[in-house]
Amino acid sequence: MTDRIFGGLMVALAAFFIWAAFQIQLSFITDPLGPRAFPVVIGVVLGLTGLIVALRPDPEPDWPALPRILEIVAAAVVFFAYGQLLSELGFLICTFVAGGYLSWRLGAPPLKAVAAGAAISIGIYVVFHLILGLALARGPFGI
């Protein structure tokens, strides 16, 4: 029964995601796919996988223990905070903190997690901002 509930929630989230994608305003100068294409594809894939989970549930689902669920919730909170603080703190700081925390929770020792957060933040910045020339959120340091 829990798989059907989860699958139904995935389908509902997919429908909301596709609806939200169609709320994106298009300008008169846009590429052939437009800004809606990627969110719609993600919504369709999410909806199809939700249908599969709902229509073919596991007869004996194995749910994680409460501490593991709390870790998943903590990771979701980190991603939510990342999105909320990105315009205030900038790309480098937010990505450093999120990458470091998630690396730590995935099993890296604390010092290696800090190094991973720095490498992820700087690496993505170099590729997307310096090489590809894409604009990333600027932080209090102006970078």
Side-chain angles (χ1 to χ4, degrees):
M1 182 65 172
T2 57
D3 283 352
R4 289 197 169 114
I5 293 170
F6 182 69
L9 289 173
M10 287 174 60
V11 170
L13 181 62
F16 172 75
F17 206 76
I18 293 170
W19 173 82
F22 280 100
Q23 302 306 308
I24 297 172
Q25 298 295 319
L26 298 177
S27 67
F28 68 94
I29 300 175
T30 185
D31 61 12
L33 291 176
R36 295 178 181 167
F38 186 70
V40 168
V41 168
I42 296 297
V44 167
V45 170
L46 179 63
L48 290 175
T49 55
L51 280 175
I52 291 169
V53 169
L55 298 176
R56 298 187 61 174
D58 187 358
E60 293 186 31
D62 184 23
W63 283 86
L66 182 61
R68 181 66 62 186
I69 291 174
L70 292 176
E71 283 190 34
I72 294 169
V73 169
V77 168
V78 166
F79 283 122
F80 179 78
Y82 181 90
Q84 295 299 312
L85 296 172
L86 190 60
S87 62
E88 298 294 322
L89 298 178
F91 175 81
L92 284 175
I93 295 172
C94 284
T95 305
F96 168 71
V97 172
Y101 174 78
L102 294 172
S103 296
W104 174 60
R105 294 314 309 145
L106 287 171
L111 281 176
K112 288 186 179 180
V114 169
I120 291 166
S121 180
I122 293 169
I124 294 173
Y125 181 81
V126 167
V127 170
F128 285 94
H129 185 69
L130 299 180
I131 295 173
L132 296 176
L134 299 175
L136 298 174
R138 293 180 180 259
F141 304 115
I143 56 173

